Amino acid sequence: MTSQHSKQSRAPLFEAMVAHHDKNPASFHVPGHKSGQGLLDEGTSFLKTVMAIDYTEITGLDDLHHAEGVINEAERLAADCFGAEETYFLIGGSTVGNLALISAACEKDDIILVQRNVHKSVIHGLMLAGAKAVFIAPGIHPETGVATSLNIEDVKQALVLYPEAKGLFLTNPNYYGMGVNLKPFAELMHAHGKLLLVDEAHGAHYGFHHEVPASALSQGADAVVQSTHKMLTAMTMGAMLHVQGPRIDRRAIQQLLAMLQSSSPSYPIMASLDLARKRMHTEGWDWLEQGLTVVKEFRSLLDGLTAFAYHPIELPGNQSQVVQTADPFKMAIYDATNTLSGTELKEKLEAQGCFVEMTDGRHVLLVFTPASTRADMLRVIEALTNICLDVPIQKKELQAPISNILKLPYYTPISSPVAFDMRDISKVSRAEGAFSQVSVQGAVGKRSADMVIPYPPGIPYLYPGEIISASVAEALLQLVANGIKFQGTEFGQTQKLKIYT
């Protein structure tokens, strides 16, 4: 009988793909590049290796949409590794997982409680389902101005107001690695017979080491989406959807994923998910320990550069109701002397070959992972040291820290139900004279015709139909002034907002 450890050490899908490749088969099936044979010369050195195993649903390699063989085995191993009862491989990122979860949980006009600062894919899921969202405003981290998670008392109040709600959709952790303990939320929702759905895109490594937070599944979430490519070793777009318990309709999820994901899924992406799982299954704790050692040395060296500071503050000493956990691999650094904005610091780092995840106008977010090397860490320390020399930061008289440069918009603590239906939105958008573009100031009090999304992190400041408040208008102008990019709108180029007329 095969031991549990030997099962964990396997990567069944990847192994089957390699075994097929080693047979030197003649391909009379898609894809058209024929295992990389059709590449131009300049693409050979970079792409041919992965294209050599870029297969399709041929004998022995299973079918993602009706997994019975090696893909099924790989998904079962993933469920065992991450603590789920069932796991589905996603080749469209956490985005497709969020779309499927919302549509599986909600029918048209159903109400669901939603954290206001969710990823745009959650809003898109509401549109596809035709569901209604009761938005609950997040807390604000007092030292950074960053939107965090929800206060559970607000969720309790929302359940009193809307007892028919299907469940609660949370994002945990946020882009900066800040989060909350989810167990009280799970217990609250389950006591009311409702779902807890969690976008844990940035937490695929959670639960594998005592110095990182516990996973959402271990705290009772019914369904969790993880971007395995963000913090682990899967290829970009590689993600997983994990489910447990009786509350979520698994058959509906399977049907929706078959509709929403490509009928020609990427085998290299799926193989990378299989290998990412194998690494965590067999050496997750040791691998995280290696990465944490690099991060700790970075913090120590950064402490020696007095011009720079970083967030989040060490926890649990600085816990609050909306920030109870912190991912040690996320480092939001900033110029404590107020000489450089986050955008300027980002540009100076990139000029020295250090490319960061994002800037919010004040902070620059550095994302370390267990794969981060000491050499790379020392490289960014050298770059920051050079910036101190090039810009007379340390000579400038220290000023009081900027307390909240983000100036996030004010949102109603608990909104009325907001109807989302893609068909209605499309119908209005096609109507002649349905919308116009106006200045930001002229848009205040009008309804947005766009989803306005600073990217990254991809969290909408406005959704279609939302009334544009003065605080939202002010926040958007500040983002533009700080060089932040936008999706879903031309606002970044024109400084005009599209409104419904």
Side-chain angles (χ1 to χ4, degrees):
M1 184 175 179
T2 305
S3 70
Q4 181 67 11
H5 180 72
S6 61
K7 287 181 180 179
Q8 295 172 358
S9 299
R10 291 199 59 214
L13 174 58
F14 175 72
E15 291 166 9
M17 292 165 65
V18 171
H20 183 80
H21 172 267
D22 289 346
K23 295 175 184 177
N24 193 28
S27 168
F28 296 97
H29 54 78
V30 297
H33 58 71
K34 302 299 181 184
S35 297
Q37 294 172 177
L39 283 171
L40 289 170
D41 290 342
E42 57 263 40
T44 300
S45 61
F46 287 101
L47 296 177
K48 190 166 187 178
T49 299
V50 68
M51 282 188 167
I53 57 170
D54 183 19
Y55 295 129
T56 188
E57 296 91 339
I58 54 179
T59 301
L61 296 188
D62 209 358
D63 180 347
L64 176 65
H65 300 301
H66 190 73
E68 298 176 307
V70 289
I71 295 176
N72 176 265
E73 184 181 356
E75 289 181 329
R76 286 178 179 273
L77 284 168
D80 179 60
C81 177
F82 292 96
E85 291 178 4
E86 201 165 353
T87 289
Y88 309 98
F89 281 1
L90 307 177
I91 46 83
S94 286
T95 289
V96 74
N98 286 337
L99 296 176
L101 276 189
I102 293 291
S103 294
C106 298
E107 297 180 358
K108 182 172 170 54
D109 294 328
D110 279 347
I111 289 176
I112 185 169
L113 310 180
V114 180
Q115 182 175 330
R116 179 58 179 82
N117 54 321
V118 289
H119 188 262
K120 62 178 180 175
S121 57
V122 177
I123 306 297
H124 290 152
L126 293 166
M127 292 177 178
L128 291 176
K132 295 179 179 178
V134 170
F135 286 117
I136 305 176
I140 304 297
H141 186 253
E143 297 179 21
T144 63
V146 169
T148 56
S149 191
L150 302 185
N151 186 323
I152 196 167
E153 296 302 320
D154 290 335
V155 179
K156 291 177 181 178
Q157 180 63 25
L159 285 171
V160 171
L161 294 171
Y162 303 101
E164 70 273 33
K166 292 290 185 175
L168 171 66
F169 199 106
L170 290 179
T171 298
N172 198 73
N174 70 3
Y175 217 82
Y176 296 80
M178 302 174 187
V180 292
N181 298 317
L182 292 175
K183 188 175 181 179
F185 290 90
E187 292 175 344
L188 172 65
M189 300 312 295
H190 295 165
H192 287 78
K194 302 183 185 303
L195 291 164
L196 175 62
L197 310 178
V198 180
D199 180 348
E200 196 176 38
H202 291 265
H205 59 308
Y206 277 19
F208 286 92
H209 192 285
H210 66 274
E211 293 186 36
V212 300
S215 69
L217 282 170
S218 71
Q219 297 178 84
D222 297 283
V224 177
V225 178
Q226 293 178 338
S227 290
T228 321
H229 69 94
K230 280 185 166 67
M231 298 300 293
L232 303 183
T233 58
M235 292 174 64
T236 297
M237 294 175 67
M240 297 186 192
L241 194 166
H242 307 292
V243 298
Q244 64 181 354
R247 298 173 187 85
I248 191 76
D249 187 339
R250 301 185 194 185
R251 181 60 182 162
I253 289 176
Q254 293 167 358
Q255 291 175 334
L256 286 158
L257 289 177
M259 293 168 57
L260 295 167
Q261 300 209 95
S262 171
S263 59
S264 301
S266 166
Y267 272 75
I269 290 177
M270 289 191 290
S272 74
L273 286 169
D274 199 14
L275 289 170
R277 185 276 315 159
K278 176 183 175 180
R279 168 149 246 175
M280 299 309 291
H281 227 160
T282 59
E283 54 181 289
W285 194 95
D286 290 336
W287 194 48
L288 262 69
E289 177 70 14
Q290 174 183 304
L292 288 166
T293 299
V294 172
V295 174
K296 289 173 185 176
E297 185 178 0
F298 174 77
R299 291 189 181 205
S300 176
L301 294 172
L302 189 61
D303 286 339
L305 299 176
T306 56
F308 295 107
Y310 57 86
H311 292 292
I313 304 300
E314 291 288 346
L315 297 171
N318 194 48
Q319 285 187 350
S320 67
Q321 286 186 313
V322 291
V323 182
Q324 298 164 350
T325 66
D327 182 356
F329 287 99
K330 297 290 183 72
M331 298 291 296
I333 66 172
Y334 62 98
D335 170 15
T337 74
N338 301 333
T339 304
L340 297 175
S341 69
T343 304
E344 291 168 331
L345 179 55
K346 172 178 177 285
E347 291 170 352
K348 289 185 178 297
L349 284 170
E350 291 180 350
Q352 297 187 64
C354 296
F355 289 80
V356 302
E357 177 71 10
M358 61 165 281
T359 177
D360 58 27
R362 184 189 186 200
H363 307 94
V364 167
L365 183 63
L366 306 184
V367 176
F368 289 84
T369 77
S372 297
T373 65
R374 184 171 187 269
D376 284 345
M377 180 273 293
L378 292 175
R379 188 172 176 183
V380 74
I381 285 292
E382 180 182 10
L384 290 168
T385 302
N386 291 337
I387 291 169
C388 286
L389 296 173
D390 292 342
V391 179
I393 295 177
Q394 297 188 17
K395 296 179 181 179
K396 184 172 180 176
E397 183 179 352
L398 290 177
Q399 302 174 8
I402 303 171
S403 60
N404 186 9
I405 197 170
L406 291 176
K407 289 189 178 178
L408 291 176
Y410 170 79
Y411 294 114
T412 302
I414 301 173
S415 77
S416 300
V418 179
F420 288 94
D421 194 319
M422 196 65 231
R423 289 160 294 187
D424 292 340
I425 293 170
S426 297
K427 186 186 299 183
V428 172
S429 296
R430 289 193 299 268
E432 185 175 352
F435 50 79
S436 62
Q437 285 192 327
V438 299
S439 68
V440 177
Q441 293 81 3
V444 173
K446 307 295 194 304
R447 293 188 180 274
S448 174
D450 274 337
M451 192 181 298
V452 182
I453 311 164
Y455 197 87
I459 297 169
Y461 269 46
L462 288 169
Y463 53 77
E466 183 173 14
I467 294 176
I468 302 165
S469 67
S471 68
V472 167
E474 180 184 2
L476 290 175
L477 287 174
Q478 187 177 47
L479 289 172
V480 169
N482 281 291
I484 306 301
K485 306 296 183 183
F486 290 83
Q487 289 184 344
T489 177
E490 297 176 359
F491 171 70
Q493 294 77 41
T494 65
Q495 279 78 69
K496 291 186 177 182
L497 291 171
K498 186 184 290 186
I499 60 167
Y500 286 122
T501 56

